[in-house]
C-alpha cells in the first residue's frame, strides 16, 4: 500500500501572500542596487581612502610637472644686428564676412592666417595684432548661440599647454571661475572694434594656473574688478590663440592659454545653483514618479485581487466561525456526572452477565 502526500497549491490571492511577494521583489531590487554601487572602487574611498597610485591622479601630477610655463627670453642685439618678425602667409581680410552664400554662419579660420603666431612670448607682438583683431571681429559678428553650438569641449589644461600649436585657431568651450575682469585699451584697428575686455579665470583642471580671455562685450550685471572674491561661474566660447606670456603677481614671467571670445557667458549664483540642482532634481523627480506609479499599480492590483478572492468559494470555505462569547451562550451544557449515571443505568452488572453465560 502506498501513501501519497496530498499537496496543495498555495493561494497567491490572499493579502498576506501578496505582501510577502512584494517584500521579496523589493529586497531583490535593493540587493541589485547595492551590488551596483559596491562594484565601484570609489564607493569604498570613505573606508579605505583614495589610493595614492590612482592612474588618473598620477597622470595629472606628472603632466603638471612637465608643463613649461616659462617665457622665451630674447637675446640682446649687437649694434650691427637687427631682428625681423615673421610675416603671415596671407594678410587678414579687410572685412569680416561671417556668413556663407546659403545664409549659414562660417566659423572656420584659415590656418595660414595664424602661422606666424609664436607661443610663450611676452604680450602680443605687432605681427600678431592683425590676426588678433580679425578674430575679435569674427566672434563679434557671429551670434553667441551659433558659436556655442559649433564649438568643441576644450581639451584638458595639460594638453593645451603641451600641444598648443595643434589647437591654435580652434573653436572651443571651457568652464571656470572668473578671478579678474577689467576693460582693456583698444589699439587702432580696421574692424571697428571700440571695446575690449580682459578676463582671467581658472578651470577645474588648471589648478593655480589661469586662462586669459579677450572679448568685446559683457553680459549685463557681471562683476568686474582686479580681484573678484566670489569668483563668478563663467563659460568661455572662443578661438584658442596662443600661450600668452605675462608677468605674474610674484614678479615671474609665466604663460597662460589665451582665448578670443565674443562674449562671456555668466551664471549668476541663483542661476548656477538652479542649473546644478536642476539636473539632479530632474532624475530624482523621475525616479519618485516611476516608483509612485509602480506602487499605485500594485496597490490597485492587490485591491482587485482581494475583491475577486472575497467573492470566490475558497474565501467562503476559509471563513472562520464566530468564536465570540456571545455565540457560545446558547450552547447546551452537559454535566459529566449525569452522563456517567445514565451510562451506568443502561449497562447491566457484570455478575449477571457471567451467570447468564453458565449452562
Amino acid at each position: 500500500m502506498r501513501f501519497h502526500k496530498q499537496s496543495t497549491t498555495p493561494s497567491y490571492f490572499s493579502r498576506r501572500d501578496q505582501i510577502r511577494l512584494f517584500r521579496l521583489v523589493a529586497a531583490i531590487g535593493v540587493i541589485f542596487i547595492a551590488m551596483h554601487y559596491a562594484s565601484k572602487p570609489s564607493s569604498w574611498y570613505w573606508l579605505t581612502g583614495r589610493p595614492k597610485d590612482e592612474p588618473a591622479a598620477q597622470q595629472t601630477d606628472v603632466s603638471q610637472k612637465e608643463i613649461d610655463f616659462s617665457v622665451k627670453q630674447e637675446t640682446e642685439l649687437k649694434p650691427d644686428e637687427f631682428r625681423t618678425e615673421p610675416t603671415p602667409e596671407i594678410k587678414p581680410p579687410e572685412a569680416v564676412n561671417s556668413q556663407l552664400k546659403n545664409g549659414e554662419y562660417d566659423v572656420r579660420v584659415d590656418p595660414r592666417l595664424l602661422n606666424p603666431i609664436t607661443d610663450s612670448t611676452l604680450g602680443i607682438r605687432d605681427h600678431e595684432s592683425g590676426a588678433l583683431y580679425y578674430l575679435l571681429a569674427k566672434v563679434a559678428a557671429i551670434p553667441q548661440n551659433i558659436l556655442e553650438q559649433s564649438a568643441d569641449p576644450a581639451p584638458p589644461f595639460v594638453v593645451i599647454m603641451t600641444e598648443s600649436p595643434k589647437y591654435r585657431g580652434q573653436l572651443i568651450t571651457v568652464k571656470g571661475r572668473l578671478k579678474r575682469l577689467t576693460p582693456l585699451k583698444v589699439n587702432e584697428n580696421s574692424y571697428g572694434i571700440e571695446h575690449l575686455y580682459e578676463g582671467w579665470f581658472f578651470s577645474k583642471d588648471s589648478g593655480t594656473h589661469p586662462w586669459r580671455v579677450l572679448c568685446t562685450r559683457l553680459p549685463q550685471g557681471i562683476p568686474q574688478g582686479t580681484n573678484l572674491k566670489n569668483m563668478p561661474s563663467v563659460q568661455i566660447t572662443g578661438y584658442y590663440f596662443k600661450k600668452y606670456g605675462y608677468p605674474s603677481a610674484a614678479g615671474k614671467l609665466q604663460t597662460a592659454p589665451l582665448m578670443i571670445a565674443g562674449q562671456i557667458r555668466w551664471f549668476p549664483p541663483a542661476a548656477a545653483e538652479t542649473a546644478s540642482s536642476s539636473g539632479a532634481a530632474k532624475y530624482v523627480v523621475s525616479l519618485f514618479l516611476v516608483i509612485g506609479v509602480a506602487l499605485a499599480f500594485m496597490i490597485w492590483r492587490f485591491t482587485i485581487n482581494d475583491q475577486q478572492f472575497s467573492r470566490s468559494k475558497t474565501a467562503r470555505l476559509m471563513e472562520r466561525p464566530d468564536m465570540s462569547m456571545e455565540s457560545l451562550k446558547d450552547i447546551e451544557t452537559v454535566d459529566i456526572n449525569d452522563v456517567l449515571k445514565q451510562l451506568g443505568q443502561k449497562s447491566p452488572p457484570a455478575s449477571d452477565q457471567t451467570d447468564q453465560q453458565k449452562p
Side-chain angles (χ1 to χ4, degrees), residues 76-121:
E76 296 183 359
L77 297 177
K78 297 180 180 180
D80 56 346
E81 290 181 345
F82 64 94
R83 184 181 292 112
T84 59
E85 295 182 348
T87 57
E89 296 182 17
I90 59 173
K91 294 182 178 181
E94 297 181 357
V96 175
N97 187 10
S98 59
Q99 285 185 301
L100 302 174
K101 294 182 179 179
N102 56 4
E104 296 182 356
Y105 287 93
D106 185 13
V107 299
R108 298 171 299 175
V109 176
D110 194 335
R112 296 176 297 175
L113 182 65
L114 305 177
N115 281 341
I117 307 300
T118 307
D119 286 317
S120 303
T121 57

Side-chain angles (χ1 to χ4, degrees), residues 5-316:
K5 184 177 180 181
Q6 186 177 2
S7 61
T8 58
T9 303
S11 176
Y12 295 105
F13 293 100
S14 63
R15 173 62 65 87
R16 186 176 182 181
D17 292 333
Q18 290 175 352
I19 293 177
R20 288 180 177 178
L21 290 175
F22 174 74
R23 291 176 178 175
L24 178 61
V25 173
I28 293 175
V30 171
I31 291 173
F32 275 105
I33 294 175
M35 291 173 58
H36 174 70
Y37 282 99
S39 62
K40 298 180 179 180
S42 58
S43 301
W44 301 97
Y45 286 166
W46 64 272
L47 180 63
T48 61
R50 186 178 296 274
K52 296 181 180 180
D53 56 347
E54 188 175 3
Q58 186 176 7
Q59 182 179 3
T60 302
D61 295 340
V62 174
S63 302
Q64 287 285 356
K65 293 180 181 179
E66 294 178 353
I67 298 178
D68 184 13
F69 292 97
S70 62
V71 177
K72 295 180 181 179
Q73 298 289 338
E74 297 179 351
T75 58
E76 296 183 359
L77 297 177
K78 297 180 180 180
D80 56 346
E81 290 181 345
F82 64 94
R83 184 181 292 112
T84 59
E85 295 182 348
T87 57
E89 296 182 17
I90 59 173
K91 294 182 178 181
E94 297 181 357
V96 175
N97 187 10
S98 59
Q99 285 185 301
L100 302 174
K101 294 182 179 179
N102 56 4
E104 296 182 356
Y105 287 93
D106 185 13
V107 299
R108 298 171 299 175
V109 176
D110 194 335
R112 296 176 297 175
L113 182 65
L114 305 177
N115 281 341
I117 307 300
T118 307
D119 286 317
S120 303
T121 57
L122 190 62
I124 301 295
R125 301 281 184 98
D126 291 338
H127 67 278
E128 299 173 343
S129 61
L132 175 69
Y133 278 97
Y134 170 76
L135 291 179
L136 287 171
K138 187 174 182 67
V139 292
I142 301 176
Q144 184 69 20
N145 62 330
I146 300 298
L147 291 173
E148 294 176 354
Q149 294 173 4
S150 305
D152 296 325
F157 182 82
V158 173
V159 176
I160 203 167
M161 288 295 289
T162 55
E163 303 178 12
S164 178
K166 178 181 177 181
Y167 297 97
R168 198 184 323 278
Q170 289 193 12
L171 189 62
I172 59 177
T173 297
V174 58
K175 294 181 179 180
R177 295 282 184 175
L178 192 63
K179 184 62 176 177
R180 179 176 180 177
L181 182 62
T182 55
L184 199 63
K185 181 181 178 180
V186 181
N187 296 331
E188 184 179 353
N189 61 90
S190 59
Y191 299 101
I193 296 177
E194 300 179 354
H195 302 282
L196 189 61
Y197 303 91
E198 176 191 43
W200 295 84
F201 66 97
F202 297 91
S203 60
K204 290 184 178 180
D205 58 348
S206 66
T208 58
H209 302 284
W211 296 64
R212 184 175 186 250
V213 58
L214 297 178
C215 60
T216 56
R217 58 187 186 274
L218 298 176
Q220 185 177 3
I222 186 171
Q224 299 185 38
T226 57
N227 187 14
L228 301 176
K229 296 182 179 180
N230 294 330
M231 296 185 66
S233 178
V234 295
Q235 175 179 294
I236 311 298
T237 299
Y239 294 98
Y240 173 69
F241 195 70
K242 62 177 289 187
K243 289 171 63 175
Y244 175 82
Y246 68 98
S248 65
K252 298 181 180 179
L253 297 179
Q254 294 183 348
T255 55
L258 173 59
M259 293 183 61
I260 308 301
Q263 179 177 339
I264 297 177
R265 183 174 290 278
W266 171 46
F267 301 100
E273 294 177 1
T274 304
S276 60
S277 61
S278 60
K282 179 175 63 177
Y283 293 107
V284 171
V285 171
S286 301
L287 177 61
F288 277 102
L289 182 61
V290 172
I291 294 176
V293 172
L295 290 176
F297 176 76
M298 295 182 68
I299 293 173
W300 175 76
R301 289 297 305 171
F302 289 163
T303 304
I304 297 298
N305 292 336
D306 289 343
Q307 294 176 358
Q308 294 177 353
F309 179 75
S310 62
R311 295 191 296 268
S312 64
K313 184 177 181 181
T314 304
R316 293 193 295 271

